[in-house]
Amino acid sequence: MTTTDTRLQDSGPVPSPGARRLALLALALGGFGIGTTEFVSMGLLPEIASSLGIGEPVAGHAISAYALGVVIGAPVIAVTTARVPRKALLVALTAVFVVGNAATAIAPTYETLVGARVLAGLPHGAYFGLAALVAAHIAPPGARARSVASVMLGLSVANVVGVPVASWLGQTFGWRAAFVLVTLIGIVTLVAVAARVPHLGSMPQSRPVAELGALRSPQVLLTLLVGAVGFGGLFAVYTYISTSLTDVAGMPRSWVPIALMVYGLGMVAGNIVGGRIADRALMPGLYAAMGSMAVMLAVFVVALQHPVSALIVLFLVGLSGAAAIPALQTRLMDVAGDAQTLAASLNHAALNAANAFGAWIGGVVIAAGLGYTAPAAVGALLAAAGVAVLGVASLYSRRDERQRHQVVVGGVR
């Protein structure tokens, strides 16, 4: 067990199993709402564009605006709120999420919509980062990654249930109805977090200067780079998955929602499996998940030639990608020292950067005439690059361990 692990688990009494489950459920509900609002916009762009009298590419700026909010909000909130009590901060972040999505639902113009999406994205990274720390803090010994995975499970379930339901509401009753639903989820989360998450008075707070120290740690930066590069491959495929399945695999368009649910089910399974593996062997588990994602993306190039094989491998792509997230989040908490809030929050900023980069590089190879199997091919290369970055991080870690050992043997403290 690492020093960080011990500090997290020895800083206060472990809640009863029932209280812990309810707390994790409240935190996961927030992840469910965040996952729904993040991805539902992609399926409602035609409705948004028509309603506001703008083109679909312009309406797509709302997706970029949300990602911008995540990238800005994660570090700024983590640093400026370092001294704020952790539970109070969770409640405040959930309140901002509610306001941002309510503002989205009533936005009268394109400009106000973009502003509302930035606001809705601001708490995303900070919420997930802090929720992961809280989950680790209340976990029993040896179950940190599984506890973190329980929180992240809400994000995976959103792809199976939240996004399809919200999309149906948006297509049936107008796109604003989808964000009304998300706002209601946020309100329920707010009540649940306030009622079920423990006081966390024993959970250590930090200082802004200490949080900024994360940006000087090679291990933190390299771990963030693993997510930003490696997951770019996953998003390169996911962004263009509908057309890939219909035009390449020959899948009927009516099957696409089912295919997305299959992908979401893979994410749910990956979250559960990844948390258990990371608790047993963190770094080997992370290598296995990232390596499997690279392999599955490469296989997907061939699997796309038939609808059934495409569905099977799409499930495995979702599983391998989701399996890496609990390990990646736990790894960041282990190497961040006293800057855990910033490091954990930046993980989701890095994943959103991967989202933007993956969508861009996937579009580039398609526009170059390489076809809709090309995003999977370039995605496999990006995932493999993520594994390479992880290897560099491991080399640095072993070098630091040797240096510390030499200092101890030399009698210097």
Side-chain angles (χ1 to χ4, degrees):
M1 183 180 290
T2 66
T3 302
T4 302
D5 191 359
T6 303
R7 180 167 59 82
L8 279 168
Q9 293 188 357
D10 291 346
S11 55
V14 176
S16 68
R20 184 169 60 249
R21 281 194 293 269
L22 289 173
L24 293 176
L25 181 61
L27 296 172
L29 184 59
F32 177 78
I34 289 174
T36 302
T37 198
E38 180 179 16
F39 294 111
V40 73
S41 300
M42 298 176 184
L44 294 176
L45 285 184
E47 288 80 6
I48 294 172
S50 175
S51 170
L52 298 178
I54 55 178
E56 195 169 325
V58 175
H61 294 166
I63 297 172
S64 301
Y66 183 90
L68 179 64
V70 178
V71 173
I72 293 173
V76 172
I77 293 173
V79 172
T80 58
T81 61
R83 292 186 178 276
V84 176
R86 304 292 86 180
K87 181 174 179 177
L89 181 55
L90 272 173
V91 171
L93 291 171
T94 308
V96 174
F97 174 81
V98 170
V99 172
N101 282 283
T104 300
I106 62 174
T109 64
Y110 160 74
E111 291 78 12
T112 54
L113 174 66
V114 168
R117 295 316 289 157
V118 171
L119 179 62
L122 287 175
H124 178 128
Y127 178 90
F128 271 122
L130 184 54
L133 290 173
V134 171
H137 177 75
I138 65 177
R144 282 190 315 147
R146 271 174 286 173
S147 193
V148 170
S150 297
V151 174
M152 301 304 164
L153 192 60
L155 183 61
S156 299
V157 173
N159 284 278
V160 181
V161 179
V163 174
V165 170
S167 297
W168 176 81
L169 279 175
Q171 292 167 0
T172 305
F173 301 104
W175 65 269
R176 298 178 191 277
F179 293 99
V180 170
L181 174 64
V182 173
T183 302
L184 293 175
I185 295 171
I187 293 171
V188 175
T189 301
L190 185 63
V191 174
V193 168
R196 295 302 180 184
V197 173
H199 180 58
L200 304 173
S202 62
M203 190 171 177
Q205 297 174 27
S206 186
R207 296 172 293 112
V209 173
E211 291 292 346
L212 286 171
L215 300 178
R216 296 194 299 270
S217 167
Q219 286 298 326
V220 169
L221 296 177
L222 285 169
T223 305
L224 290 172
L225 190 59
V226 171
V229 174
F231 278 81
L234 196 67
F235 289 112
V237 170
Y238 188 81
T239 303
Y240 304 98
I241 190 63
S242 295
T243 306
S244 299
L245 291 173
T246 55
D247 289 15
V248 180
M251 187 178 292
R253 189 161 295 276
S254 59
W255 282 28
V256 172
I258 298 172
L260 295 179
M261 290 182 69
V262 167
Y263 174 82
L265 289 170
M267 290 187 66
V268 171
N271 235 296
I272 296 170
V273 172
R276 293 183 179 277
I277 292 175
D279 275 328
R280 290 187 173 92
L282 179 60
M283 288 302 288
L286 187 51
Y287 272 112
M290 294 295 298
S292 296
M293 183 167 63
V295 171
M296 288 301 108
L297 287 170
V299 172
F300 195 55
V301 176
V302 179
L304 267 173
Q305 305 306 316
H306 191 276
V308 174
S309 59
L311 283 175
I312 293 171
V313 178
L314 186 61
F315 174 87
L316 295 174
V317 168
L319 188 153
S320 57
I325 294 178
L328 204 59
Q329 190 80 63
T330 306
R331 167 72 175 167
L332 274 171
M333 292 189 292
D334 282 349
V335 300
D338 292 327
Q340 294 196 15
T341 304
L342 178 59
S345 299
L346 283 174
N347 187 38
H348 295 275
L351 293 178
N352 270 267
N355 190 350
F357 174 65
W360 174 77
I361 195 67
V364 167
V365 294
I366 291 170
L370 299 178
Y372 277 87
T373 59
V378 75
L381 294 176
L382 287 173
V387 176
V389 175
L390 188 60
V392 173
S394 295
L395 289 175
Y396 269 99
S397 182
R398 284 196 289 270
R399 186 200 65 179
D400 292 343
E401 284 291 336
R402 285 196 300 269
Q403 290 176 345
R404 281 194 294 270
H405 178 71
Q406 290 168 358
V407 169
V408 172
V409 170
V412 180
R413 295 283 179 179

